[in-house]
Structures are given as structure tokens and as C-alpha cells.
Amino acid sequence: MRSAEARDNYEMHTQAPQIGLPEKKRGRAAMREIAYQDIVTAVADLCIKANTLLPEDIRQAIQQAGRSEESPVGKAILGDLEENFIFAAEKGLPICQDTGMAVVFAELGQEVHITGGLLADAVNVGVARGYVEGHLRLSVVEDPLRRVNTNNNTPAILHLTMTDGDALRLTVAPKGFGSENMTRLRMFNPSAAREDIMDFIVECVSAAGSNPCPPVLVGVGLGGTSEMAALLAKRALLRPVGGKSADPFYAEMEAEVLARINTLGVGPQGLGGRTTALSVSIIPYATHIAGLPCAVNLGCHVTRHAEVIL
């Protein structure tokens, strides 16, 4: 990739001169500055908000499930879940004792210049501040085998995407590990049929049982490479409950898989009923002729996320 100086040289020698035009009319967008400290503050606030306020779409889905659930036990549990998220919002307390590992999606406009420090550092400082000052459980260990707690829930998992424009969209999605541990990846042969993929998704939810604290949200990444499929599956959990794929082919798959999952009998908190999942979201991506990766990531009934645009 050319440096800014090399690009300027290239444009100067390949375009007709625009003598007398102001700088902004020569095709150069002015850079917008976002301060490091503003990012720290935003991330800290989002960590607290995400852990205490359940997204409205999930709130409504649980309430609707409570009205339609046929199992008396399942209906009672859904009522308890509703009481819990209402109480958490009123008192400013975590919806779940597992306040998760902070997963942060950052969409950075290419016309943005961050001043005062690095984006990754700002995210981690913000997570540390949000979790410590928000009195959220600190669940991150600095090494996967030696297991020493970092005491501030960092480092976060940061996914950065460059976009058009001059804004920074930050989404904080704390991920509890009751559901994260149920993640599955299968590298299918390219000859696998639509039904094979659907069977795999249903099997994942069935095998997970009560572990991910159902009713769950089911995120599916299909295609790409192994790591891309896993990332897509996690991104799929951000789609609002009740939404569907823009591709009718996948929208139909989502509806069929959801219907099959809700006949498994797992039910709310694994104690039986027809409300095992609230949604299924599939995100497809181009892949290699020799492969067909499929990742499934489950979100518990407290699939939290909050976002802001700076």
C-alpha cells in the first residue's frame, strides 16, 4: 500500500492541475479528530450499560415467549427472567453474575484521526475503568494455563473494521462463557447440502442443553475460513431478534432451523418447554472451492451489547 506521500506524488503526476481551487475541492476530505480520552469514556460507559440494560428486542422476545410458552415450568422461568432484567435496570445491577469477557467491535471511518493515543489502548483502559468502577465481576486471566486474574477484566477482544466516513462506531458485547464454551466449528466438505448444515446447527443447540442458559440466540457463520466463520457467528448475535437475513434463501433456513430447535424440548433454562431459542441468524461469506466452514456461537438469554457512534 502506498504511503500518503507516495499517493500524493502519484495523484500530482497523473491528474490535471486544479490551480486556484481550495484544498477541500481537490478531492481531499478533511480528517476528523477523535480524542483518545473520549474513546476511553465511551467504552467504560458501554461496559456498564451493556451489563445492566438488556437490549429492547431481547426484552420483548422474552416477554412474548412468556405469553406463548405452553410448559407451566417454562412459563414461570420466563417470568423470573423478565423480573430479573427489570430489577437490574431499575437498580443499575448486572443482569447476570457472569459479566463476561469484553468483546468490542470498532468500525473506524477512514477519515478519522485518533489523537492522544492508540485505539487498542483506549479500548482496554475503557474496559478496565468500566468493569472496576461499575463493580462488575472481573473474570479475565492473563494466561490460559497459569490462570492469574488481571483484576480489571482486560485485555478485551477487539475487532476493527475500516469503513467510509468520519465516525467511529463502538459496540461492546460482553460474552459470558456458559454460552461461549458451547461454540462449535465444523469444516464441511464442499459437497455438504443445505440440510447437513441445518442438522449441524440443531445438533449444536441440542448438545448444549442447559449450559448456555436458554432461551438462546443462535449465531451462525458460514463460509470464509475457520476464523472468519467464527467471527461471523459472533457478529450474527448482534442482529436484532425478529430480524432475518436479507437473502430469502438464508431467511428460510433461519426460520426452519428455529422451528426445529424449538421442538427439542430443552426449554427455558433447560427445564422443558418450547422456548429453547429466540432467534437464528446466519451470515454467509465467500469461501474456497475445497471448503465449507460452519461455526455456531450461542448467546444466552442475556445476550448483551450496547453501542455508540462518536
Side-chain angles (χ1 to χ4, degrees):
M1 182 177 291
R2 295 184 178 87
S3 67
E5 182 179 355
R7 185 180 66 244
D8 289 348
N9 262 342
Y10 174 79
E11 291 176 353
M12 181 176 68
H13 290 292
T14 56
Q15 296 180 5
Q18 296 175 306
I19 299 172
L21 289 178
E23 186 71 13
K24 66 180 181 180
K25 291 188 177 180
R26 295 185 184 181
R28 302 176 191 277
M31 296 295 288
R32 174 169 173 255
E33 293 185 347
I34 296 179
Y36 170 97
Q37 195 56 49
D38 289 343
I39 298 172
V40 170
T41 301
V43 171
D45 290 346
L46 289 173
C47 287
I48 296 171
K49 179 180 179 181
N51 274 296
T52 56
L53 296 173
L54 195 62
E56 184 61 27
D57 58 298
I58 301 178
R59 293 165 62 102
Q60 291 181 5
I62 290 175
Q63 291 168 335
Q64 175 57 41
R67 292 190 287 269
S68 61
E69 175 59 61
E70 298 173 359
S71 163
V73 173
K75 184 181 287 290
I77 290 172
L78 290 166
D80 290 341
L81 299 183
E82 180 179 355
E83 182 180 354
N84 177 63
F85 68 64
I86 291 174
F87 185 85
E90 290 177 348
K91 301 298 183 180
L93 295 172
I95 312 164
C96 175
Q97 52 86 22
D98 182 356
T99 52
M101 190 168 189
V103 179
V104 181
F105 295 95
E107 299 174 44
L108 180 64
Q110 64 179 0
E111 307 303 336
V112 170
H113 174 57
I114 296 171
T115 62
L118 299 176
L119 173 63
D121 292 342
V123 166
N124 279 313
V125 172
V127 168
R129 181 179 299 177
Y131 272 78
V132 173
E133 295 181 0
H135 305 289
L136 305 175
R137 197 181 82 179
L138 309 176
S139 304
V140 174
V141 294
E142 64 186 21
D143 182 274
L145 294 180
R146 287 172 286 202
R147 315 297 290 183
V148 177
N149 200 294
T150 63
N151 293 318
N152 59 16
N153 226 57
T154 66
I157 305 299
L158 175 61
H159 299 294
L160 173 63
T161 304
M162 297 299 296
T163 64
D164 288 335
D166 62 355
L168 170 61
R169 181 193 298 268
L170 293 166
T171 303
V172 173
K175 193 64 162 69
F177 267 59
S179 59
E180 184 68 7
N181 284 338
M182 298 299 104
T183 304
R184 296 292 181 267
L185 169 70
R186 182 174 294 178
M187 305 301 286
F188 282 91
N189 289 325
S191 59
R194 174 180 181 272
E195 289 70 24
D196 297 323
I197 302 299
M198 294 172 65
D199 288 346
F200 174 61
I201 300 169
V202 175
E203 287 167 10
C204 288
V205 179
S206 178
S210 63
N211 290 307
C213 293
V216 297
L217 276 64
V218 183
V220 181
L222 191 61
T225 53
S226 56
E227 79 277 13
M228 186 62 170
L231 176 57
L232 292 174
K234 184 150 289 173
R235 281 188 177 277
L237 295 178
L238 300 177
R239 196 175 79 190
V241 174
K244 60 182 180 180
S245 173
D247 184 333
F249 176 84
Y250 288 106
E252 184 179 356
M253 277 185 68
E254 291 168 348
E256 289 184 30
V257 171
L258 180 61
R260 287 179 57 183
I261 288 172
N262 283 331
T263 62
L264 291 173
V266 175
Q269 298 297 288
L271 294 176
R274 298 184 61 83
T275 314
T276 299
L278 299 176
S279 71
V280 175
S281 301
I282 301 174
I283 301 181
Y285 196 83
T287 193
H288 193 278
I289 57 173
L292 206 175
C294 180
V296 175
N297 193 285
L298 301 182
C300 64
H301 70 276
V302 184
T303 299
R304 300 151 289 184
H305 50 86
E307 72 171 43
V308 69
I309 298 175
L310 299 180

